[in-house]
Amino acid sequence: SRRQFRDLAERLRRSNQWTQLAQAARERLGVVANDSQAWAYLAVASRESNDPEGEEKAWMELWRLEPDSVPVGMGLAKTWLLHGKAKEAEKLARELLAERSEDAALLALIGQIEVALKAQDRAGQAFTRAIAIDSWQLDAHGDASPWRSRAATGLPLPQECDG
């Protein structure tokens, strides 16, 4: 059942048993091919077991099943960014931003994508907007440092801290 799969998958995830988690997700998908939860677990297991092709395939299937999910879209965009497909990541992230213009995590992701594309001005704008919306958006702080002075926040930037 779905609940049994979720319980097993969570146990495997918590104990970092990525190969077993991937296998359990594949077995579940053999029974219920459109189980978005199984695709999500397969994406995580693939990432953690250094299987970029499997990770991308899982995110693509999950996106096909849940095309209106911003977290799923962000997961796919992050995967593309990590695997050298920054243009694809940018296109998807900008589409998501049209729906959620005040999403600090999404803006931080766009900033990271823009850094990868060497578009420093756009990266700075995205990071600055992310921090303005959510000053705790740590993904934006480190990369935003060229655009945001320490004096402006009064706080040390994360990379300046000891741990």
Side-chain angles (χ1 to χ4, degrees), residues 1-101:
S1 77
R2 184 173 170 86
R3 183 181 177 93
Q4 288 173 320
F5 166 71
R6 187 189 67 226
D7 290 347
L8 171 63
E10 273 303 300
R11 247 189 345 271
L12 295 170
R13 186 190 63 79
R14 282 193 304 272
S15 60
N16 298 329
Q17 296 181 39
W18 307 119
T19 303
Q20 296 89 335
L21 178 56
Q23 183 58 37
R26 285 187 192 98
E27 288 174 10
R28 175 71 180 165
L29 291 166
V31 176
V32 184
N34 287 335
D35 186 331
S36 58
Q37 192 174 60
W39 282 112
Y41 280 113
L42 184 56
V44 169
S46 297
R47 179 188 63 234
E48 295 297 331
S49 58
N50 199 25
D51 175 9
E53 293 83 15
E55 179 185 9
E56 182 176 354
K57 179 183 179 196
W59 279 114
M60 297 274 298
E61 282 298 315
L62 193 52
W63 183 242
R64 184 184 63 78
L65 293 170
E66 298 187 22
D68 296 326
S69 170
V70 172
V72 170
M74 286 178 63
L76 178 57
K78 285 178 188 177
T79 297
W80 281 339
L81 176 61
L82 291 173
H83 300 300
K85 297 180 177 181
K87 284 284 191 195
E88 292 91 333
E90 179 189 34
K91 182 178 184 299
L92 177 55
R94 294 256 176 225
E95 290 170 6
L96 295 171
L97 190 64
E99 301 295 319
R100 303 245 317 238
S101 63

Side-chain angles (χ1 to χ4, degrees), residues 140-155:
H141 275 286
D143 291 318
S145 58
W147 300 275
R148 207 157 145 82
S149 72
R150 191 157 97 200
T153 63
L155 300 170

